[in-house]
């Protein structure tokens, strides 16, 4: 897929697979397959946005219009169908950050 953001390296493949499973569990069964695929794309873009903000403290790497253009999502549907998935993704990223930074901080304390 030419529009994909997924990195194919050995470190991120498991993350994207895990995210796909989380999205599948969270999405209503009545959601169309195409919309479900777009939700996964929005979630991945949101992960990149989160990472970009952490490193650069700037605006999003991809804003809503850019996400819609890149993944061919009708912008008129964005607020209704996809905005909440950006918030959902941010919650997941915050959780991952919390659980990963504690062990790192313990290691840093031991080194100091």
């Amino acid at each position: 897929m030419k529009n994909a953001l997924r990195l194919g390296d050995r470190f991120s493949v498991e993350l994207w697979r895990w995210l796909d499973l989380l999205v599948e569990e969270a999405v209503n069964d009545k959601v169309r397959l195409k919309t479900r695929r777009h939700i996964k794309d929005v979630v991945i873009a949101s992960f990149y946005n989160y990472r970009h903000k952490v490193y650069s403290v700037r605006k999003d790497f991809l804003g809503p219009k850019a996400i819609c253009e890149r993944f061919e999502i009708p912008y008129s549907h964005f607020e209704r169908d996809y905005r909440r998935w950006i918030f959902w993704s941010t919650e997941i990223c915050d959780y991952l950050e919390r659980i990963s930074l504690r062990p790192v901080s313990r290691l840093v304390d031991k080194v100091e």
Side-chain angles (χ1 to χ4, degrees):
M1 178 197 274
K2 66 177 181 160
N3 296 334
L5 284 175
R6 296 169 191 250
L7 295 176
D9 64 32
R10 62 189 170 112
F11 301 109
S12 58
V13 169
E14 288 302 315
L15 171 65
W16 303 139
R17 196 173 293 145
W18 176 74
L19 264 177
D20 282 347
L21 291 173
L22 277 182
V23 170
E24 284 297 326
E25 290 174 7
V27 171
N28 186 330
D29 291 338
K30 296 176 184 175
V31 173
R32 294 180 320 137
L33 185 61
K34 186 174 183 178
T35 304
R36 191 178 296 252
R37 189 174 63 242
H38 287 317
I39 288 170
K40 290 178 182 180
D41 291 334
V42 168
V43 167
I44 290 170
S46 298
F47 262 64
Y48 277 99
N49 281 342
Y50 189 91
R51 182 177 171 197
H52 184 73
K53 283 181 183 178
V54 167
Y55 287 117
S56 68
V57 193
R58 294 184 188 144
K59 64 180 186 171
D60 291 341
F61 174 65
L62 290 172
K65 285 189 179 187
I67 291 172
C68 289
E69 287 173 11
R70 184 171 200 136
F71 300 112
E72 299 171 359
I73 298 170
Y75 187 70
S76 59
H77 297 172
F78 189 81
E79 291 298 323
R80 182 190 71 204
D81 295 336
Y82 305 103
R83 173 68 72 185
R84 68 185 181 99
W85 291 101
I86 292 174
F87 297 124
W88 182 87
S89 301
T90 302
E91 289 177 9
I92 299 293
C93 287
D94 287 342
Y95 169 75
L96 291 173
E97 192 173 85
R98 275 193 313 278
I99 65 171
S100 64
L101 288 180
R102 285 184 188 132
V104 170
S105 70
R106 285 188 209 116
L107 288 173
V108 169
D109 286 342
K110 287 181 184 179
V111 171
E112 291 179 348

